[in-house]
Amino acid sequence: MNPSFFLIYLQHILYENVFVKGKERGPGLLSHFCLTIAHRIFSGKVLSVLENLAGGVPYLHLLSHPTWHSRTSSWSLSMKVPNLALLSGRQQFHTKVVVRDECISVIGEGAANVIGSFGGSAMDIRPPNSFGCDLADLPMILLQQAAGQVIRWLHEEALLVGVKATRDFLCLYFDLEEGNKIGLAAHVDPSGALGCISWWLVMDDGDEGVSRAHRKFLGNLLLEELHSTMMDLVNLCS
């Protein structure tokens, strides 16, 4: 953060608004300047979180949006799904992050409201969903939003081939014989050494649910690899 910017900005507002337009406006302008500095510092922390997430998930791209307001900043994490033969019509997902002063708002699309997932309940899809969060929860919320968007895309692709598939927030299931299910499950970890979103092959036997013995680690797959794995499961269930 460049200190010269703040010095020049302070000199400008003091000259234009204090000396030119009257000293009586000085206290309000000083308050605005202090809030602007606080916002710049806080938004820098948010940007650092977004850059780390974009670096940890190869199919997430960070975009910055101009706001033309000194105390508002805006970015989006964009995910473009590959142009495959079974493309369901959706090409991109976006999750927007807006910071006003020191308040964070997340506006997501294409996935269930992540706030519901913290309570263990599945939420209906109501894109876009908007909610506030704090800086500590932001990485996990954004990763769950991105993983949920991938799950929704894979689910739509599976339905195109006429296969019965169900999903919850972070898992896509296919029906096998005798009530068993096999699926793809996302695991999110902002501090993951190999990537922030990893994938597991899971088996639900209908009795004990998904146990450790019924899971196989697939790694940090690209979207093309996830789609190929999903099609392998479709062929298995067919």
Side-chain angles (χ1 to χ4, degrees):
M1 196 159 300
N2 191 346
S4 299
F5 166 80
F6 298 122
L7 178 60
I8 294 172
Y9 181 69
L10 178 59
Q11 290 173 339
H12 173 73
I13 63 173
L14 286 176
Y15 177 80
E16 291 292 330
N17 296 281
V18 177
F19 296 109
V20 176
K21 298 182 180 179
K23 294 183 179 180
E24 68 278 3
R25 297 183 58 189
L29 289 168
L30 182 60
S31 175
H32 172 73
F33 177 76
C34 292
L35 289 173
T36 298
I37 298 301
H39 169 76
R40 294 280 182 175
I41 295 172
F42 185 74
S43 64
K45 296 178 181 179
V46 174
L47 177 59
S48 178
V49 169
L50 299 179
E51 289 174 337
N52 289 337
L53 295 184
V57 183
Y59 41 83
L60 285 183
H61 305 282
L62 179 60
L63 304 174
S64 179
H65 305 289
T67 63
W68 314 115
H69 194 286
S70 61
R71 286 159 50 189
T72 302
S73 301
S74 178
W75 307 270
S76 65
L77 287 173
S78 174
M79 180 178 68
K80 184 176 182 180
V81 299
N83 186 17
L84 300 169
L86 295 177
L87 187 63
S88 57
R90 179 176 290 274
Q91 297 181 335
Q92 280 190 318
F93 293 93
H94 299 278
T95 300
K96 190 174 183 179
V97 178
V98 179
V99 178
R100 294 183 176 88
D101 288 332
E102 296 184 34
C103 297
I104 305 174
S105 297
V106 177
I107 305 166
E109 64 173 7
N113 190 324
V114 295
I115 296 300
S117 68
F118 292 143
S121 61
M123 302 290 287
D124 293 334
I125 301 302
R126 298 173 184 173
N129 55 73
S130 178
F131 45 88
C133 72
D134 57 31
L135 187 60
D137 291 333
L138 183 62
M140 184 64 71
I141 285 176
L142 292 177
L143 286 176
Q144 289 189 335
Q145 185 78 34
Q149 290 168 344
V150 174
I151 290 293
R152 184 188 181 190
W153 168 62
L154 293 175
H155 183 239
E156 291 174 348
E157 294 281 298
L159 293 179
L160 286 177
V161 295
V163 174
K164 184 179 180 181
T166 57
R167 62 185 172 90
D168 58 24
F169 185 62
L170 293 179
C171 191
L172 175 67
Y173 285 107
F174 298 90
D175 290 337
L176 296 174
E177 295 179 352
E178 299 179 356
N180 295 335
K181 293 182 178 181
I182 191 169
L184 283 171
H187 173 74
V188 297
D189 181 5
S191 60
L194 299 178
C196 297
I197 301 179
S198 57
W199 295 88
W200 292 76
L201 184 66
V202 297
M203 176 77 76
D204 186 345
D205 58 16
D207 293 325
E208 299 179 358
V210 179
S211 67
R212 187 175 298 274
H214 297 123
R215 299 186 302 171
K216 179 180 180 182
F217 183 64
L218 299 178
N220 307 99
L221 302 179
L222 298 176
L223 293 181
E224 292 85 354
E225 295 170 325
L226 279 168
H227 191 276
S228 178
T229 303
M230 182 272 293
M231 289 303 300
D232 288 340
L233 294 180
V234 167
N235 292 331
L236 175 65
C237 296
S238 298

